[in-house]
Amino acid sequence: MNVYPAKQHLAKAAANLGASAGVIFVHGGETLVHPDSDTEYEFHQDSNFYYLSGVSEPGCAAAYDIASGTAILFVRHVSADEAVWIGVPPALEDYRIAHGFDEAHYAHDIGAVLDALKPAVVYMLPHHKADQLGMVLELAVDREKLLPAVHDARVFKDDAEIAIMRAANRISSDAHVALMKEIRVGMNEAEVRGRFAGLVLAGGCSYEAYGSIAARGRNAAILHYTANNQQLDSDAEMILVDAGGTFQNYASDITRTWPVGPAFSPECRAIYQVVLDMQSAVLDACAPHRQWEDMHLLANRVAAEGLLKLGILQGDLDSIMAHHVVGYFMPHGIGHLIGIDTHDVGGYPQGVDRIDRPGLRYLRARREMLPRMAFTVEPGLYFVDAILADAKADPAVACFIDFDKVAEYRKVGGVRIEDNIVITDSGHDNLTTCPKDVASVEAIRAAAYHRHT
Amino acid sequence: MNVYPAKQHLAKAAANLGASAGVIFVHGGETLVHPDSDTEYEFHQDSNFYYLSGVSEPGCAAAYDIASGTAILFVRHVSADEAVWIGVPPALEDYRIAHGFDEAHYAHDIGAVLDALKPAVVYMLPHHKADQLGMVLELAVDREKLLPAVHDARVFKDDAEIAIMRAANRISSDAHVALMKEIRVGMNEAEVRGRFAGLVLAGGCSYEAYGSIAARGRNAAILHYTANNQQLDSDAEMILVDAGGTFQNYASDITRTWPVGPAFSPECRAIYQVVLDMQSAVLDACAPHRQWEDMHLLANRVAAEGLLKLGILQGDLDSIMAHHVVGYFMPHGIGHLIGIDTHDVGGYPQGVDRIDRPGLRYLRARREMLPRMAFTVEPGLYFVDAILADAKADPAVACFIDFDKVAEYRKVGGVRIEDNIVITDSGHDNLTTCPKDVASVEAIRAAAYHRHT
């Protein structure tokens, strides 16, 4: 097993801090329990702590002595009584080696170990508690500088992180393909989501990275649809599945939309192809030194061209762009940074503000793309009644939309196609392996359909 | 769809309170977010709130005017902007009807609606926040009396609750049977657990009721084993699966242990049969007015007889019981109350203490069984090295144990068989439908084995 590069991450954070002395101290999450109950919330490690320690268990901590470059791990002490119930934990030295640290101690020794280092300053995260440090060191805590230093480090993925994200994508892509082969009329959305969860857990993921979406037909027009409880009842519809597993604490975030029947209906195929063209154009453009918000605008322009061809939009392309008309069909952003968190840190560097325009308003990142940044690329087009009613009510926008055509396509619901990429020196590396072109999807569906019927 | 009897539960809690006036006020849980992240914890409703409202969504509340018997539901107001993302919610009146309340309002009107009732006292749960009530009503809050009143109500399940628990058990039992048919050498414990999660979610459960255990061979001797990451590598071993789905907010909690190969090994079969005999004796004895702790002692006595026959124990049965020797092989309790929570409320009525003796120490309930109480019945026998070392070190206990025989059976790891029952007027109703007798289990395994090989 490869050692997670926690020590390198501590060094990176220290370098970003720009300090030549002092101690970085971070602690991990604790198990949460439901109120008036002993039922535990499923434990997910604190993201920043995982980045700096590679430890997935609750009750641990890590420190880094900046001057000497010493990485110190603190693990929870398990009593003999407790070991009866949860098993005998590894020895301290085994923990140290497994996580690539220079020293390992028990968490009850945090105060004494850090005290001995006599740091002038202890860098901590704003939401972390300092009560393990002891009274004297608590006075030396700086809670401001570490968070941006860690965020800036997390934005650039190293090879080990990319390998983990590739594995998360492979497991989750395989699950999407399995679903694509299995779904049919009569299945419930809950079965689709349940099957996905089962497959990624069986594949080695710890949990679903976020609330999975399995939305048939019109449900795809509810952007955060998580009810997942309706039956697939028509071959003419599509199902949108937005689901990804978290593997070794790194998220994947993948969306595919495919026909319930053996092939896309003409309306579904038309919208699907526009979304595919949007994604293809953006992927081609993803490369160092391009601006992320330009990817959003590029997707909008390709969408406008496609919707003009279908007659859903009308008028002049530049005017359509100037009036942000596509924002009424793709109300969300083109994508976001991804890593330990699904919506990973660092989307808006300090001093960069959101752009208050339809669609762009919800863009989760606005910065220059640079090598080793990981993004989702997730164009979509949706027929959301409430948003289209807003568009109709605004004469400056309504004039660009043929609402009779919209009515024809309304049954499509929505389409989203989402891959996870890493920016390389010359372009991008697509981690998502699930097929998406019309011919491949229809080949899978047709074969599945004929097997089932 | 049947209406969940929330109003009857409010009335039951009010009756238990013994008050003729005042208002009961309870609020539901809020969505929790991971620190420095927008990733949400999977939402599970506050258990007491669900019991009194039947509402599964965050941000809601309920009140009950004791004098008039009026049940008032408060639902979270969803703005038009938010509805674009999560869908248009039902109208207030539809919420009211769906949940069987007398009135429905938005949560932002809690203060005004309760103020108009001018209650002299507002009964609340200790962990609930009163800031939605307004300053005047906050002064009238009693936080002591409601919790025991609600707990006393929750202990006795009504027909609607039993029907839901039966469904939770059916879905989860079916998943156990599916696993029993599917497992084979080469599978990883993660696949077993993933498959279980997928099946119960697909069957309509919202989530796994607790951290599922899939423990092969010796891992079954780690009582709270949740690593679930080893490969099944021997037909001579068993796998222990302790897993249940939560259906409509009610937990199921089922354990089965079965051979990885087509049949039990002689040692596995012997221990399995003793555990089955323990469960059978306890189930036969489960009836109104028996004491729960006596069920634990009965299981211990049957275990002692079985282990004596196998030669693992030696000496006189009564002395073995007097020295709590079986507690070294079954360190946990015979079972616990179950309902909305896996370890449901009410196990120790006010004034009843735990018994500080091996095994009994961890018993989660100690009370008279009465009709409509729901329990798990989960005898087990385990070969836990650390516990057996303790036994060996204590001459008063060690003399009853043949440690050479223990060494022969050590490879068995552990066996647990767990069903969920409801006490009836004359005995009990077993909600768990998954087979467990040796012949049935071996028939399933043999058929599966010959299909796979």
Side-chain angles (χ1 to χ4, degrees):
Chain A
M1 200 183 95
N2 295 325
V3 175
Y4 181 82
K7 189 180 171 182
Q8 290 91 307
H9 293 172
L10 286 163
K12 241 169 112 175
N16 288 348
L17 268 175
S20 56
V23 161
I24 292 172
F25 176 70
V26 286
H27 64 72
E30 300 285 350
T31 304
L32 290 182
V33 175
H34 288 271
D36 189 34
S37 160
D38 68 355
T39 305
E40 294 177 356
Y41 281 89
E42 184 172 58
F43 183 72
H44 297 197
Q45 186 57 283
D46 180 289
S47 300
N48 292 308
F49 178 71
Y50 187 78
Y51 182 74
L52 298 172
S53 72
V55 173
S56 297
E57 303 129 76
C60 299
Y64 187 71
D65 182 53
I66 296 173
S68 67
T70 308
I72 308 167
L73 182 62
F74 298 99
V75 304
R76 194 170 75 87
H77 185 260
V78 174
S79 69
D81 273 4
E82 199 185 348
V84 166
W85 300 88
I86 66 172
V88 179
L92 271 185
E93 179 61 6
D94 293 332
Y95 264 117
R96 187 191 70 72
I97 293 168
H99 295 287
F101 275 65
D102 300 304
E103 297 179 21
H105 304 272
Y106 288 115
H108 52 233
D109 291 328
I110 287 172
V113 170
L114 296 191
D115 230 29
L117 297 173
K118 303 204 181 310
V121 53
V122 178
Y123 297 102
M124 289 189 63
L125 295 171
H127 61 285
H128 279 188
K129 56 190 199 309
D131 57 356
Q132 295 166 299
L133 295 181
M135 297 259 288
V136 177
L137 284 186
E138 274 193 56
L139 297 172
V141 169
D142 174 314
R143 291 189 178 278
E144 291 190 5
K145 299 196 185 77
L146 184 59
L147 187 71
V150 176
H151 283 193
D152 286 351
R154 283 175 59 186
V155 166
F156 300 95
K157 273 70 180 176
D158 50 45
D159 290 348
E161 294 179 281
I162 294 169
I164 296 169
M165 292 178 71
R166 199 182 302 280
N169 262 273
R170 181 186 49 71
I171 298 164
S172 304
S173 293
D174 287 352
H176 275 272
V177 174
L179 289 180
M180 226 180 253
K181 290 177 178 169
E182 290 173 12
I183 69 127
R184 55 187 177 278
V185 163
M187 254 191 175
N188 192 289
E189 291 165 343
E191 290 179 74
V192 179
R193 183 264 164 137
R195 188 84 179 105
F196 181 85
L199 286 166
V200 295
L201 292 174
C205 290
S206 308
Y207 34 80
E208 294 164 274
Y210 50 92
S212 297
I213 297 171
R216 58 153 269 232
R218 285 288 305 156
N219 292 339
I222 300 169
L223 297 171
H224 290 171
Y225 179 77
T226 53
N228 302 334
N229 60 4
Q230 289 191 13
Q231 202 170 61
L232 313 189
D233 60 5
S234 165
D235 275 350
E237 288 188 350
M238 295 185 290
I239 181 161
L240 180 155
V241 178
D242 183 347
T246 292
F247 181 71
Q248 294 181 3
N249 293 71
Y250 281 76
S252 62
D253 183 358
I254 300 172
T255 309
R256 287 292 182 267
T257 313
W258 67 82
V260 173
F264 289 97
S265 75
E267 293 82 5
C268 288
R269 183 184 289 109
I271 300 300
Y272 187 88
Q273 189 60 56
V274 177
V275 176
L276 203 56
D277 293 344
M278 292 160 75
Q279 204 205 32
S280 176
V282 170
L283 288 173
D284 286 347
C286 278
H289 311 303
R290 308 283 298 258
Q291 284 293 126
W292 186 244
E293 57 268 37
D294 291 342
M295 299 301 102
H296 185 87
L297 295 172
L298 173 59
N300 272 230
R301 181 167 287 269
V302 176
E305 289 167 348
L307 295 175
L308 274 169
K309 261 189 216 147
L310 296 177
I312 293 171
L313 295 188
Q314 56 202 6
D316 165 63
L317 181 60
D318 288 331
S319 305
I320 286 168
M321 288 299 292
H323 287 84
H324 309 293
V325 179
V326 174
Y328 292 84
F329 296 88
M330 181 170 112
H332 62 71
I334 185 65
H336 49 80
L337 289 163
I338 181 166
I340 296 178
D341 285 310
T342 304
H343 300 146
D344 212 32
V345 296
Y348 284 79
Q350 284 184 303
V352 176
D353 293 322
R354 293 204 175 220
I355 304 168
D356 190 19
R357 295 199 309 238
L360 277 166
R361 191 174 294 144
Y362 296 110
L363 192 57
R364 293 181 190 272
R366 190 182 165 202
R367 60 186 296 167
E368 185 186 2
M369 283 184 265
L370 290 170
R372 298 189 175 278
M373 286 182 179
F375 288 94
T376 66
V377 178
E378 49 175 312
L381 289 174
Y382 315 86
F383 295 87
V384 183
D385 293 337
I387 300 180
L388 291 168
D390 282 351
K392 203 167 188 172
D394 181 352
V397 173
C399 61
F400 296 109
I401 301 173
D402 180 337
F403 287 95
D404 291 334
K405 275 281 177 192
V406 165
E408 269 176 49
Y409 283 89
R410 181 181 178 279
K411 63 191 170 195
V412 169
V415 171
R416 181 165 60 256
I417 304 172
E418 177 179 24
D419 288 354
N420 301 169
I421 66 164
V422 179
I423 305 301
T424 61
D425 289 341
S426 57
H428 75 275
D429 180 3
N430 194 332
L431 306 178
T432 308
T433 56
C434 184
K436 60 192 171 189
D437 67 277
V438 171
S440 302
V441 170
E442 289 194 336
I444 292 173
R445 286 303 307 144
Y449 189 82
H450 295 303
R451 201 169 54 245
H452 290 143
T453 51
Chain B
M1 199 184 95
N2 295 325
V3 175
Y4 181 82
K7 190 180 172 183
Q8 290 92 307
H9 293 171
L10 285 162
K12 242 169 113 175
N16 289 349
L17 267 176
S20 57
V23 160
I24 291 172
F25 176 70
V26 285
H27 64 73
E30 300 285 349
T31 305
L32 290 181
V33 174
H34 288 270
D36 190 33
S37 161
D38 68 354
T39 305
E40 294 177 356
Y41 282 89
E42 182 171 62
F43 183 72
H44 297 196
Q45 186 57 282
D46 179 287
S47 301
N48 293 308
F49 179 71
Y50 187 78
Y51 182 73
L52 298 171
S53 71
V55 173
S56 297
E57 303 129 76
C60 300
Y64 186 71
D65 183 53
I66 296 173
S68 67
T70 308
I72 308 168
L73 182 63
F74 298 99
V75 304
R76 191 170 76 88
H77 184 260
V78 173
S79 69
D81 273 3
E82 200 185 348
V84 165
W85 300 87
I86 66 171
V88 179
L92 272 185
E93 179 62 6
D94 294 331
Y95 265 117
R96 187 189 71 72
I97 294 168
H99 294 286
F101 275 65
D102 300 304
E103 297 179 19
H105 304 272
Y106 286 114
H108 52 234
D109 291 328
I110 287 171
V113 170
L114 297 191
D115 229 30
L117 297 172
K118 302 203 181 311
V121 53
V122 179
Y123 296 103
M124 288 188 64
L125 296 170
H127 62 284
H128 279 189
K129 57 190 200 308
D131 57 356
Q132 294 167 299
L133 297 180
M135 298 259 286
V136 177
L137 285 186
E138 275 194 56
L139 297 172
V141 169
D142 174 312
R143 291 188 177 277
E144 291 190 6
K145 299 195 185 78
L146 184 59
L147 187 71
V150 176
H151 283 193
D152 287 352
R154 284 175 58 186
V155 166
F156 299 96
K157 272 69 179 175
D158 50 45
D159 290 348
E161 294 178 282
I162 294 168
I164 295 169
M165 293 178 70
R166 198 182 301 282
N169 262 273
R170 181 186 50 71
I171 297 164
S172 304
S173 293
D174 288 352
H176 275 272
V177 174
L179 289 181
M180 228 180 252
K181 291 178 179 169
E182 289 174 12
I183 69 126
R184 57 187 175 278
V185 163
M187 253 191 178
N188 192 289
E189 292 165 343
E191 289 179 73
V192 179
R193 183 264 164 136
R195 187 84 179 105
F196 182 84
L199 286 166
V200 295
L201 292 174
C205 290
S206 308
Y207 34 81
E208 294 164 276
Y210 50 92
S212 297
I213 297 171
R216 58 152 270 233
R218 285 287 306 156
N219 292 339
I222 301 168
L223 296 171
H224 290 171
Y225 178 77
T226 52
N228 301 335
N229 60 3
Q230 288 190 13
Q231 202 170 60
L232 313 189
D233 60 5
S234 165
D235 275 350
E237 288 188 350
M238 295 185 292
I239 181 161
L240 180 156
V241 178
D242 183 347
T246 293
F247 180 71
Q248 294 182 2
N249 293 72
Y250 281 76
S252 63
D253 183 357
I254 300 172
T255 309
R256 287 294 182 267
T257 312
W258 66 83
V260 172
F264 290 98
S265 75
E267 293 80 7
C268 288
R269 183 184 289 110
I271 300 300
Y272 187 89
Q273 188 60 54
V274 176
V275 176
L276 203 57
D277 292 344
M278 292 159 77
Q279 204 205 32
S280 174
V282 170
L283 287 173
D284 285 349
C286 279
H289 311 303
R290 309 283 298 260
Q291 283 294 124
W292 186 244
E293 57 268 37
D294 290 342
M295 300 301 102
H296 185 86
L297 296 172
L298 173 59
N300 272 232
R301 181 167 287 270
V302 175
E305 289 168 347
L307 295 175
L308 274 168
K309 260 188 220 150
L310 296 176
I312 293 171
L313 296 188
Q314 55 200 10
D316 165 63
L317 180 62
D318 288 333
S319 304
I320 287 169
M321 288 300 290
H323 287 85
H324 309 292
V325 180
V326 175
Y328 293 84
F329 296 88
M330 179 170 114
H332 61 72
I334 185 64
H336 48 80
L337 290 163
I338 181 167
I340 295 177
D341 285 311
T342 303
H343 300 146
D344 213 31
V345 296
Y348 284 79
Q350 283 183 305
V352 176
D353 291 321
R354 293 203 175 221
I355 304 168
D356 191 19
R357 295 199 309 236
L360 276 166
R361 190 173 294 144
Y362 296 109
L363 192 58
R364 293 181 190 272
R366 190 181 165 202
R367 60 185 301 166
E368 185 185 3
M369 283 184 264
L370 290 170
R372 297 189 175 280
M373 285 182 178
F375 288 94
T376 65
V377 178
E378 48 175 314
L381 290 173
Y382 316 86
F383 296 86
V384 183
D385 292 337
I387 300 180
L388 291 167
D390 282 350
K392 203 166 189 172
D394 181 353
V397 172
C399 61
F400 297 109
I401 301 173
D402 181 337
F403 287 96
D404 292 334
K405 275 283 177 192
V406 165
E408 269 177 50
Y409 282 90
R410 181 182 178 278
K411 63 190 170 198
V412 169
V415 172
R416 182 165 59 255
I417 304 172
E418 177 179 26
D419 289 354
N420 302 169
I421 65 164
V422 179
I423 305 301
T424 61
D425 289 341
S426 58
H428 75 274
D429 179 4
N430 195 332
L431 306 178
T432 307
T433 56
C434 184
K436 59 192 170 188
D437 67 277
V438 172
S440 301
V441 170
E442 288 194 336
I444 292 174
R445 286 303 307 144
Y449 188 81
H450 296 303
R451 202 170 52 244
H452 290 144
T453 51

